[in-house]
Amino acid sequence: MPHARRPEYPEVNSSYVLEYVEVIHRHHKRTPYAANAFPVEGYPWYCDDEALFYYGAPLPTPDHSRGLDDSWQHGSDLYGVYHDLLGLLPDKYDPNLVTFRVTNNIITSQVASMVTSGMFGGEAQQNLPLLVQPASIDSLEPAYTCLAATKSFSAYGPGSNDSGWTSHLKAASDLYAKLDSISGVSPIDSGFHMSFDHYFDNLSARLCHAKPLPCNTSNPSLCVTQAMADEVFRLGQYEYSYFYRDAGPRTLEYSTAKYGIWVAELAENLRQAMLANYSASAGDRTNGGIRYRHNIAHDGSISLILSILQIEKMVWPGMGSEVVFELYKRKQNQQYYIRVLWGGQVLRSSSPTLGILDMLPVEILIAYFDGLVGRKAEKIPSLCNP
């Protein structure tokens, strides 16, 4: 997926100084999860070329080498922007200036091992710490319990009787029947038929790794066509747009409760960055402080933050999808401004409060977040109470 790269990066004019950056992106290519595999696969997946680190220790992985290559390139591209072009990142990894955070899913640590290598080289990889919260309360994934959000989503999402959802599944019944006949998936398998998530993941993983679309193991002439796969991908995009934007105000209510803690952490990070008093001319922070935070997460994580920002056009975030929050200070008035990039370009919100997130006074975005979740997420306990 597109991300911040030097060739396409939209530079800000010289009257602003970049003070702080926070990146959140989805992990890169992987093999399909076991739950998304067909009952009988027509060919194997070989992952015998991995060489990764998990919290500093070598560990075998199901992740594919192409995903690792993409992760390294992603890190290198970001370094090209935020070090080579803008001078924010240090020459060498410095834990007092840069942090990396992952979820409890091992895939994010695998990606981190290559992203950090792409940014700071192999030396940093040996002792570079990855921040992670306990599995039961992780706000980045997110994994904390929020019963109200679960109840809200179950009223209009997969498994619900919501008319917008059931009409979508009914319209796709012919495609489901074709896919089932090829894959051998039972028509009553709820995992494959509550949404297009499983078929989307299975087919996209094959194409991402340059593998052929599947055929029926008993009748090799009966295969998933590219047109069928494209239809699955289109419907998957529709589903994510429905989950996170098109089902109305309840999508913002759901996303706010579900991802509000991470949003409150982001708001606090922006506050702390403004207190750090970064001086571009001195090339250092006189009062210390982190200048770059990097979060490696999941499609659900990215979808939730896009929903909270009320992005104009919602899509299913692909592998490596990236949102970047850039905090600038204007030299003339010493005021702070925020820019948000999605896929390497300025994000457009349908919220009249946010609009085009290009040099918006930062207090507007922070007030928007505080209004939804409260300072330090003080509203989340009540929002999550069903």
Side-chain angles (χ1 to χ4, degrees):
M1 291 292 290
H3 56 258
R5 299 193 321 151
R6 189 166 181 172
E8 301 88 9
Y9 182 76
E11 291 190 59
V12 174
N13 70 59
S14 60
S15 62
Y16 295 91
V17 177
L18 181 62
E19 298 253 334
Y20 173 78
V21 168
E22 183 139 358
V23 175
I24 178 171
H25 69 83
R26 188 186 180 189
H27 58 75
H28 283 275
K29 295 173 186 174
R30 55 161 171 76
T31 53
Y33 287 124
N36 302 341
F38 294 159
V40 180
E41 289 284 350
Y43 49 77
W45 291 74
Y46 293 110
C47 299
D48 53 2
D49 55 354
E50 68 276 0
L52 301 176
F53 291 83
Y54 180 50
Y55 302 122
L59 185 74
T61 171
D63 216 350
H64 196 283
S65 61
R66 287 192 179 92
L68 307 182
D69 293 342
D70 289 350
S71 301
W72 188 94
Q73 189 63 55
H74 197 159
S76 178
D77 289 339
L78 288 172
Y79 194 75
V81 172
Y82 294 111
H83 173 273
D84 300 346
L85 180 64
L86 301 176
L88 182 77
L89 287 171
D91 294 338
K92 296 182 178 181
Y93 169 72
D94 184 342
N96 296 311
L97 300 176
V98 178
T99 67
F100 293 88
R101 180 177 169 188
V102 297
T103 73
N104 285 270
N105 188 317
I106 186 177
I107 292 173
T108 59
S109 292
Q110 296 165 354
V111 169
S113 72
M114 299 303 290
V115 168
T116 56
S117 181
M119 296 178 79
F120 296 108
E123 291 184 10
Q125 190 183 61
Q126 302 302 316
N127 296 299
L128 194 152
L130 301 178
L131 304 178
V132 62
Q133 293 181 345
S136 62
I137 61 169
D138 184 9
S139 63
L140 179 59
E141 190 162 347
Y144 62 88
T145 300
C146 187
L147 297 178
T150 301
K151 182 178 180 180
S152 173
F153 189 69
S154 65
Y156 71 89
S160 74
N161 293 319
D162 178 80
S163 59
W165 184 251
T166 55
S167 61
H168 154 66
L169 293 181
K170 183 177 181 180
S173 59
D174 288 346
L175 177 60
Y176 265 128
K178 294 176 183 177
L179 293 170
D180 292 346
S181 67
I182 296 170
S183 66
V185 170
S186 169
I188 61 173
D189 185 317
S190 60
F192 273 86
H193 297 91
M194 289 177 63
S195 73
F196 273 94
D197 176 90
H198 285 17
Y199 273 122
F200 189 112
D201 185 73
N202 186 295
L203 298 178
S204 62
R206 297 173 195 271
L207 295 180
C208 280
H209 293 93
K211 290 184 174 293
L213 289 170
C215 298
N216 184 282
T217 55
S218 299
N219 181 5
S221 65
L222 186 62
C223 301
V224 173
T225 65
Q226 186 62 56
M228 293 167 64
D230 290 342
E231 185 73 357
V232 169
F233 302 149
R234 185 185 69 78
L235 292 173
Q237 298 289 357
Y238 168 84
E239 290 183 351
Y240 263 61
S241 189
Y242 188 78
F243 295 158
Y244 296 102
R245 296 292 286 123
D246 299 339
R250 53 192 171 176
T251 61
L252 180 59
E253 295 170 3
Y254 163 70
S255 299
T256 297
K258 188 73 173 176
Y259 217 58
I261 295 179
W262 189 86
V263 165
E265 292 169 347
L266 170 63
E268 192 62 24
N269 291 341
L270 292 171
R271 290 189 180 97
Q272 292 301 316
M274 287 187 282
L275 293 174
N277 190 25
Y278 175 72
S279 170
S281 59
D284 199 359
R285 292 180 182 272
T286 57
N287 293 332
I290 300 297
R291 67 174 67 167
Y292 179 91
R293 284 184 172 88
H294 193 120
N295 304 272
I296 301 172
H298 307 275
D299 53 353
S301 319
I302 304 302
S303 296
L304 290 163
I305 190 63
L306 292 177
S307 176
I308 290 171
L309 292 171
Q310 299 186 61
I311 190 171
E312 275 190 353
K313 184 179 180 181
M314 183 69 201
V315 297
W316 190 333
M319 304 294 181
S321 296
E322 171 196 271
V323 180
V324 181
F325 297 85
E326 298 179 333
L327 179 67
Y328 289 86
K329 182 191 285 185
R330 191 172 186 179
K331 296 177 184 178
Q332 182 178 17
N333 59 13
Q334 296 295 293
Q335 298 300 304
Y336 286 92
Y337 298 84
I338 193 79
R339 185 170 76 157
V340 182
L341 303 181
W342 160 241
Q345 300 300 311
V346 173
L347 186 147
R348 291 176 172 267
S349 169
S350 62
S351 164
T353 301
L354 302 180
I356 300 173
L357 282 157
D358 190 9
M359 294 310 174
L360 183 75
V362 69
E363 59 268 19
I364 294 178
L365 181 63
I366 291 178
Y368 175 78
F369 287 157
D370 287 351
L372 291 175
V373 307
R375 186 159 184 174
K376 296 186 177 181
E378 62 186 4
K379 293 184 179 181
I380 294 302
S382 60
L383 291 175
C384 285
N385 188 9

